[in-house]
């Protein structure tokens, strides 16, 4: 009898604690909905048996993990719910629609090691009680609406290895987090109201950890000596104002003189080493005025004496003869022309695209290329220069260190690279961001030729999209090699919804590792249709790149979310596809995670 009573005294607390965990989850369920509504709560069922996203310790029977990523959760976390899961080690509620402030009773989960809340809309300041969770190893708050100053209390989280705070609304200067010596992964990008210097403890991270802030110091530009608390005197301010006015008048006068000097200059030469450019074309009426205005505008750029036009400031120029004499390496033939890499004796390298079948007038061509050259975005590959001749139309770009996405994914030997899920997600987000920018210019602005071979990658594996708008000046494009939306009949008038379709194919390519044009050749169907068919017959894991499954088993849910988003982009019905801004937002919610 004594042994029976003793065993009851040992077992009852375990059942009591599990019952408390169950009550906490039942309090959470109606508040946030989503997949929690699928929990079988009838008959006193245990959350450890079949409740999706709930994991228990097999010995103690207590809830130790709550993982509900992308589970359609909405609303605010109620008090006396998660905070009552006192044995919790991992909390992952990323990529949902949760809002409001973090519940202060989260501090009761003193054993928490990982918190993943990225891709929600949590707001307000991080509560002080949060900093009592001194066992935290990984924290990801990216893509929310957290605000306020970053607290010096982070210094208490001395075990912290990963801290992602990008895409929030934090402001003010950095406190000194000199105790965070174990930090290995960190990002605070796109918090535009953050100012001041970066603490030395964070200076070892790359500049990619601080993009979109007003911070200074290593690894960014050094802080100006005037950034302290010193105030300028009234006399100094007056001197600056007067000096600025004088400088402005001098610049205005110099600009007028330059304008008068260059007004009569022509961009193109009388003679060219290759078939002469029709620079002597006779325009009449309105056409003459438009041509003169265009020539005057481009003449202010860095123009050589042989018709080679350089765009942008501080461009290192060279002559057309030097370009034609440089050794060249053929890189491939695409839908709008052939691509080469030219090597100069000086060591300079450029990418040259030789356009085929240009179908517009010289005036229209120059106007379009001028428009393309004016587009500036961190995920667009800038146009360095161009040449228009009667037989030759050349575009010039700076080379990208990692080459094209197509080469990285499908190349052979040294050209092919293993791309982690994080890198693929970064490339997908960058590509979508570039298209979002283009679509924001006007409702009719499109790229028209989005594919993996036109997505280039820099040293940080960030996407740089090229060839925007070129399908509008080139004829004879029969197809876009598996990237073309089904409704497109004329590649010179592609809609924004068709651009989204092409980005969706690129995302499918990133997830599956399959070449769209190869699927068309071998299977006779487009990549989206092939994915749909295989998923219906064999399941999602059969289409996901095996390299990703081998190295990222823990991210299978994330891969499925990417796959489903890409399939929504490649819907046969244009109106069913997300817009470019919505695609960018959803990609960030899925990809900005550990």
């Amino acid at each position: 009898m004594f042994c029976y009573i003793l065993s009851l005294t040992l077992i009852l607390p375990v059942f009591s604690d599990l019952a408390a965990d169950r009550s906490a989850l039942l309090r959470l369920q109606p508040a946030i909905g989503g997949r929690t509504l699928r929990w079988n709560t009838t008959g006193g069922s245990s959350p450890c048996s079949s409740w999706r996203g709930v994991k228990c310790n097999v010995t103690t029977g207590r809830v130790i993990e709550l993982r509900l990523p992308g589970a359609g959760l909405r609303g605010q976390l109620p008090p006396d719910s998660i905070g009552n899961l006192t044995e919790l080690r991992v909390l992952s509620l990323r990529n949902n629609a949760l809002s409001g402030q973090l519940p202060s009773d989260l501090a009761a989960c003193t054993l928490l090691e990982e918190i993943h809340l990225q891709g929600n809309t949590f707001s307000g300041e991080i509560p002080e009680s949060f900093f009592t969770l001194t066992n935290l190893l990984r924290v990801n708050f990216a893509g929310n609406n957290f605000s306020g100053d970053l607290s010096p209390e982070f210094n208490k989280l001395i075990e912290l290895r990963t801290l992602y705070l990008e895409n929030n609304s934090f402001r003010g200067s950095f406190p000194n987090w000199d105790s965070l010596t174990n930090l290995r992964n960190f990002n605070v990008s796109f918090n535009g109201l953050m100012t001041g210097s970066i603490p030395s403890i964070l200076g070892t991270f790359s500049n990619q950890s601080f993009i979109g802030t007003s911070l200074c110091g290593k690894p960014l530009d050094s802080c100006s000596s005037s950034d302290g608390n010193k105030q300028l005197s009234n006399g100094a301010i007056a001197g600056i104002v007067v000096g600025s006015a004088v400088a402005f008048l001098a610049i205005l006068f110099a600009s007028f003189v330059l304008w008068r000097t260059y007004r009569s200059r022509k961009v193109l030469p009388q003679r060219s080493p290759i078939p002469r450019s029709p620079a002597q074309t006779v325009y009449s009426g309105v056409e003459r005025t438009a041509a003169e205005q265009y020539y005057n505008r481009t003449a202010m750029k860095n123009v050589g004496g042989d018709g080679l036009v350089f765009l942008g400031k501080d461009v290192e120029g060279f002559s057309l003869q030097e370009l034609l004499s440089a050794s060249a390496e053929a890189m491939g033939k695409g839908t709008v022309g052939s691509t080469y890499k030219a090597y100069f004796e000086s060591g300079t390298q450029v990418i040259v695209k030789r356009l085929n079948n240009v179908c517009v007038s010289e005036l229209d061509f120059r106007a379009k290329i001028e428009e393309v050259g004016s587009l500036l975005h961190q995920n667009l590959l800038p146009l360095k220069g161009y040449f228009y001749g009667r037989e030759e139309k050349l575009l010039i770009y700076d080379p990208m260190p990692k080459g094209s996405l197509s080469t990285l994914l499908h190349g052979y030997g040294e050209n092919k690279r293993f791309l982690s899920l994080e890198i693929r997600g970064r490339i997908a987000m960058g590509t979508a961001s570039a298209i979002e920018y283009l679509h924001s210019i006007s409702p009719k602005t499109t790229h028209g030729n989005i594919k993996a071979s036109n997505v280039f990658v820099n040293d940080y594996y960030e996407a740089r999209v090229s060839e925007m708008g070129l399908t509008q000046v080139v004829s004879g494009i029969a197809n876009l090699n598996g990237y073309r939306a089904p409704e497109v009949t004329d590649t010179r008038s592609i809609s924004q919804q068709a651009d989204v379709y092409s980005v969706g194919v690129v995302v499918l390519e990133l997830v599956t590792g399959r070449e769209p044009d190869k699927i068309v050749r071998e299977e006779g169907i487009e990549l989206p249709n092939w994915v749909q068919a295989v998923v219906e017959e064999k399941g999602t894991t059969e289409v996901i790149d095996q390299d990703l499954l081998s190295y990222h088993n823990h991210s299978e849910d994330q891969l499925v979310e990417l796959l489903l988003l890409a399939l929504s982009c490649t819907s046969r019905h244009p109106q069913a596809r997300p817009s470019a801004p919505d695609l960018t937002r959803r990609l960030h919610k899925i990809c900005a995670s550990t």
Side-chain angles (χ1 to χ4, degrees), residues 151-190:
S151 174
E153 297 295 298
F154 272 101
N155 258 332
K156 295 179 179 179
L157 310 181
I158 59 176
E159 299 297 327
L160 208 57
R161 267 65 164 177
T162 297
L163 179 59
Y164 290 137
L165 300 172
E166 66 266 30
N167 286 282
N168 279 283
S169 300
F170 293 114
R171 62 174 183 266
S173 58
F174 252 116
N176 188 10
W177 292 346
D178 52 2
S179 296
L180 300 186
T181 55
N182 291 313
L183 203 59
R184 296 293 178 269
N185 303 292
F186 175 78
N187 201 318
V188 75
S189 297
F190 303 109

Side-chain angles (χ1 to χ4, degrees), residues 397-409:
Y397 302 89
D398 281 324
M400 283 287 102
K402 301 295 184 184
S404 73
L405 173 59
S406 181
T407 301
L408 288 174
L409 271 178

Side-chain angles (χ1 to χ4, degrees), residues 335-336 359 446-449 469-481 483-485 487-495 498-499:
T335 53
V336 299
C359 61
T446 61
H447 183 286
N449 192 17
L470 296 189
T471 55
Q472 298 171 23
V473 299
V474 175
S475 65
I477 301 176
N479 60 69
L480 295 179
N481 300 323
Y483 296 89
R484 184 178 65 178
E487 74 275 9
V488 173
T489 57
D490 184 354
T491 54
R492 288 177 293 175
S493 58
I494 289 177
S495 67
D499 269 354

Side-chain angles (χ1 to χ4, degrees), residues 365-505:
F365 177 86
R366 292 183 179 280
K368 185 63 183 178
I369 299 305
E370 174 81 4
E371 176 189 342
V372 171
S374 69
L375 300 175
L376 299 175
H377 185 270
Q378 63 181 2
N379 295 116
L380 289 178
L381 184 65
L383 182 63
K384 181 173 183 174
Y386 73 92
F387 173 82
Y388 185 97
R390 195 168 278 169
E391 301 295 331
E392 295 282 2
K393 286 83 178 173
L394 308 175
L395 303 181
I396 302 169
Y397 302 89
D398 281 324
M400 283 287 102
K402 301 295 184 184
S404 73
L405 173 59
S406 181
T407 301
L408 288 174
L409 271 178
H410 313 301
Y412 298 96
E414 295 182 357
N415 291 327
K416 186 173 182 178
R417 295 284 189 273
F418 168 71
L419 302 180
S420 68
L421 179 56
E422 179 185 1
I423 288 174
R424 297 187 198 209
R426 187 180 304 170
I427 293 171
M429 288 189 289
T431 303
S433 180
I435 304 311
E436 178 185 1
Y437 164 72
L438 291 177
H439 289 186
S440 70
I441 296 172
S442 81
K444 294 186 178 181
T445 303
T446 61
H447 183 286
N449 192 17
I450 302 161
K451 55 184 181 178
S453 59
N454 285 341
V455 177
F456 291 86
V457 181
N458 69 4
D459 276 325
Y460 299 102
Y461 289 97
E462 294 172 327
R464 298 289 187 270
V465 180
S466 70
E467 292 199 11
M468 40 277 189
L470 296 189
T471 55
Q472 298 171 23
V473 299
V474 175
S475 65
I477 301 176
N479 60 69
L480 295 179
N481 300 323
Y483 296 89
R484 184 178 65 178
E487 74 275 9
V488 173
T489 57
D490 184 354
T491 54
R492 288 177 293 175
S493 58
I494 289 177
S495 67
Q496 293 188 342
Q497 292 92 339
D499 269 354
V500 171
Y501 180 96
S502 300
V503 177
V505 176

Side-chain angles (χ1 to χ4, degrees), residues 255-313:
S255 299
F256 176 75
V257 171
L258 285 172
W259 177 74
R260 290 295 298 269
T261 301
Y262 281 104
R263 182 170 180 175
S264 61
R265 284 185 58 177
K266 293 184 182 291
V267 174
L268 299 178
Q270 297 290 333
R271 294 184 178 274
S272 173
I274 60 178
R276 186 166 58 92
S277 166
Q280 304 302 311
T281 301
V282 177
Y283 299 103
S284 62
V286 176
E287 288 185 343
R288 177 189 295 273
T289 303
E292 289 178 351
Q293 289 176 347
Y294 178 79
Y295 286 149
N296 289 335
R297 186 165 67 251
T298 52
M300 298 299 292
K301 301 186 182 296
N302 184 5
V303 181
D306 50 14
L308 195 57
V309 179
F310 295 99
L311 305 175
K313 298 179 180 179

Side-chain angles (χ1 to χ4, degrees), residues 63-179:
V63 175
I64 58 172
E65 294 187 10
L66 181 60
R67 295 181 181 269
L68 293 167
L73 310 181
R74 295 182 178 278
Q76 301 186 18
L77 298 178
D80 300 323
S81 55
I82 292 177
N84 285 1
L85 304 175
T86 55
E87 292 289 317
L88 200 63
R89 263 72 167 178
V90 177
L91 175 63
S92 177
L93 304 176
R94 59 183 173 83
N95 301 332
N96 286 290
L98 296 170
S99 58
Q101 296 186 326
L102 288 184
S104 59
D105 62 358
L106 191 66
C109 303
T110 56
L111 300 179
L112 263 174
E113 297 178 352
E114 299 185 26
I115 299 182
H116 305 289
L117 300 180
Q118 63 269 34
N120 286 282
T121 55
F122 287 108
S123 58
E125 298 187 10
I126 299 174
E128 291 298 313
S129 58
F130 170 82
F131 302 106
T132 63
L133 301 174
T134 54
N135 287 313
L136 283 172
L137 301 175
R138 298 177 181 86
V139 173
N140 195 330
F141 286 167
N144 281 281
N145 293 320
F146 287 114
S147 59
D149 296 338
L150 285 180
S151 174
E153 297 295 298
F154 272 101
N155 258 332
K156 295 179 179 179
L157 310 181
I158 59 176
E159 299 297 327
L160 208 57
R161 267 65 164 177
T162 297
L163 179 59
Y164 290 137
L165 300 172
E166 66 266 30
N167 286 282
N168 279 283
S169 300
F170 293 114
R171 62 174 183 266
S173 58
F174 252 116
N176 188 10
W177 292 346
D178 52 2
S179 296

